[in-house]
Structure formats: structure tokens, C-alpha cells
Amino acid sequence: MPQETCIDRIEVFALSCTVEGGPKSTLAPMPVRNGMLVRITTKGGAFGWGEGWCNYPPKGHLAKLNLMEDPIGPTVLGRDIAYWRGLRPTIEHEMRRMIIHIGEPGPFKHCMAALDMAAADLSARAAGQSLSQMLSADAGNTAQVYASSPNVDEAETLATRLAEMGHTGVKIKVGFDQARDMAVLSRFRANDRFGLYLGIDANQNWTLPEAMATIDALSEWELGFVEEPILATAPTADWIDLSDRLDVPLAAGENIYSEAGFAEHVDRATVGIIQPDLAKWGGVSGAMAVGRHALNNGVTVSPHFMGTGLGLAASLHVLAALGGGGRVELDANANPLRTDLGAIDLKPTNGHVPIPAGPGIGFEPDPDALRQFTIQYCDIH
């Protein structure tokens, strides 16, 4: 085994900061913005960074750091990642009994997504390529984005504010109650002289009959998509029924945890847009696999993301490699872990942002910022 490509060290950083005006949804408010970053290093000195999802609960990033410390980290140490795409599927398979026994498939897969992302970053850095170039020779140098989950207390001025920031699209949280949702969208569209692309996200809060009635009532405001109108785990027949009865494209993916799960939605035409979250399941390899399958079957790919600048940069690279006209979710709320953790250009121009330049993901946490935001750390070697 070529020792220089074997993982020799895994560092895990649990990050946190308190903000004012965090995202609000029917799930819960987010006054605390969290992050869980992983840095892997090989015996040869190559390194790569990854991110695991940890928006909820407020201390979920600490639990995942502990999972990384034991049992995941010791299982990964010493693995050869010359073929980086093989790391995550191999570990998922080897640990499948442990995942079932403990009953925490989500946290395990968040951690494995971070490792996959780090392995991809490391591989691209070692090749002297950007991540998007390593994934596709035809990758573009910009990615289309939409402003995600902005505060709608002043819905009348929202379109103007977003357009002045360079945005051409937005996603608004709904699912609170129909009267409130209708009022927000009405106020927004009445003052939207730009014709912004508009998606809405119900965060799984409607039953099938509620979704049918509410989406029908809201569709007059020219919706680009409706995200997770019903439970992500609802029977496929319900998703098919809803999709067949509505003209608005449905979107899902942040809560799908397998390639087969994505394939079922694509193959059975339940959604018009899939939204793989690189930090939640699959990392880079998973998002590329399900993304290519979706595009080959006429389904748009719009990566879901609500975390730090690291995972966001990786998401931009993946969409640039995939192409297809989708949009990356760009959080419109205050989050220093997105804006102040390291250098990244997130200023849209006509709805597009530049792909981070440089080797790999093109983003590394600034050491001082990393120390400032880290509340717990572990070093596995």
C-alpha cells in the first residue's frame, strides 16, 4: 500500500457563533449558527477540508465531533485514499451494522459526507486542480445562486433589496399558516418589478391534502418550485399524486440519504428539482452521482446548503462541474461562519457568483478565525 496516500490524521472542529436575525422556519429558529469541519492529512503531508451538516439541534455539532472521535475516526485512520471516491461508500458499508445498532443514521452520514468532501478536496489539491476542474473538464467559472430564507418582515422592499445585491432569485419560507403565507407572497410580488425567480419552502409541514390546497392557492405568484411540501419520508405515491396534480415543480433532496432514494424520485418523476446537500449525505461523490443521474433524466440539480463558507464553496464547485442551469442555495441571513471564516467572494452579479479559485475547494479557514469560532476540537491520529 502506498503509505503517502494513507490517512494519518483527522482533526475535527466544532464551530459556533450567536447571531441576530437567523433563519426562521416552521421547524425552529436558528439564533445559533454552528459548523463541524474536518481536516484530513495523509502520511505524505497532503491535506483536505470537509464539512458535516449540523444546523439542528443547537449542540448537534458537539455530538458529531464525538462520533468522529470514536468510532468513525479510528475506522478511517490508515485508509488509502488514492481513489478518493471509494472512501465514503466503503466506510458506510463497513459501519452499517454500527449505524443500525446505535440508531443514528443521520449523524453518521453527516460525518461521512464531511470525510468525502475532505477526500475530494485533498485529491484536487494534490493534482493541482480546482475541485470543479477535477470533476469535469467542462466546468464553468461561475455558478447561479438564489438568496435563501431572507427575513420577510418587510416583504414590500425585499425584491428591491435583493436585486440591488445582485440576486435574480429567492426562496421564501412558508408553511406557517395559509393566510400568513399568502400575505407575504402577495406583498413581495406586488413590489417585485424585477420578476425574481421565486421558490418557497414548507419544510415538510403540510399533509398531502393541505399541500394540494395551499400550493394551489399560492401558485398565482409565479412559483419556480415548492420545496418539501410534505414529509421527505412520505410514500412515493403521495409525491407522485402531488406532482401530477400541480403545475409547480416540486423540489426535495436535503433529507434523502441514499443514491437509491434520489433515483426513486428522479425515475418516478416526483420532483422537477433535486437538492443534494453535500454536507448532509454523500459529500462530493454522492452529489455528483445523483446530480448526473438527475440531469440525464431531465431533472434540474440545485444543491441545498445552509452552513459555513467551506461547504458552500464545495457546493459551487459541484454545480459548476454538473452544469444544467440549477442554482446553489445562498443563505441570506447573518452567519459569520459563512462570511468571516475565510476568504470567499459571495457577491452575486446577475445572480451568479464566481467559483472559488485555487487548488481543491479554493477555501481554507483562516487560522485566527478558526480559533475564534472553535468551541471544541479533537485530533485523531
Side-chain angles (χ1 to χ4, degrees), residues 317-377:
H317 278 281
V318 165
L319 184 60
L322 287 170
R327 300 172 185 245
V328 173
E329 180 174 16
L330 179 56
D331 184 7
N333 299 278
N335 185 2
L337 300 183
R338 182 184 73 253
T339 56
D340 302 342
L341 185 60
I344 183 170
D345 183 359
L346 298 176
K347 174 73 172 88
T349 299
N350 194 29
H352 290 72
V353 299
I355 304 303
I361 292 173
F363 179 96
E364 284 186 56
D366 174 80
D368 291 335
L370 190 61
R371 282 191 291 271
Q372 174 188 347
F373 294 122
T374 297
I375 64 169
Q376 192 166 320
Y377 167 81

Side-chain angles (χ1 to χ4, degrees), residues 16 43-44 50 53 56 153 208 212 236 349 365:
S16 188
K43 290 183 181 293
W53 185 92
Y56 303 107
D153 289 345
L208 181 60
M212 289 178 177
T236 303
T349 299

Side-chain angles (χ1 to χ4, degrees), residues 80-237:
D80 184 7
I81 55 169
Y83 175 62
W84 69 270
R85 295 175 188 270
L87 177 66
R88 176 190 56 81
T90 298
I91 300 302
E92 282 186 356
H93 178 75
E94 290 181 5
M95 300 195 77
R96 66 194 186 282
R97 291 186 301 132
M98 179 70 74
I99 293 170
I100 294 169
H101 186 73
I102 295 176
E104 294 186 343
F108 269 86
K109 293 191 177 184
H110 303 161
C111 292
M112 292 175 185
L115 289 166
D116 184 283
M117 193 186 301
D121 183 39
L122 184 152
S123 182
R125 288 177 184 276
Q129 294 180 294
S130 72
L131 177 60
S132 53
Q133 290 170 339
M134 181 183 76
L135 297 172
S136 171
D138 299 323
N141 56 15
T142 67
Q144 191 170 209
V145 298
Y146 65 83
S148 175
S149 312
N151 187 307
V152 293
D153 289 345
E154 297 179 355
E156 295 85 354
T157 63
L158 180 58
T160 298
R161 286 185 279 124
L162 292 176
E164 289 175 348
M165 294 168 61
H167 282 291
T168 58
V170 61
K171 179 175 79 177
I172 292 176
K173 294 287 189 180
V174 296
F176 297 89
D177 66 70
Q178 186 170 315
R180 176 267 185 200
D181 295 341
M182 292 182 70
V184 166
L185 296 186
S186 176
R187 289 158 52 206
F188 170 78
R189 276 298 194 209
N191 295 277
D192 174 21
R193 67 181 188 276
F194 311 96
L196 296 183
Y197 175 79
L198 172 62
I200 58 174
D201 183 1
N203 285 112
Q204 311 179 75
N205 201 38
W206 295 323
T207 64
L208 181 60
E210 288 171 341
M212 289 178 177
T214 306
I215 296 170
D216 187 60
L218 300 179
S219 60
E220 68 176 278
W221 288 292
E222 301 173 57
L223 301 178
F225 66 87
V226 180
E227 181 176 333
E228 290 194 328
I230 58 178
L231 289 175
T233 55
T236 303

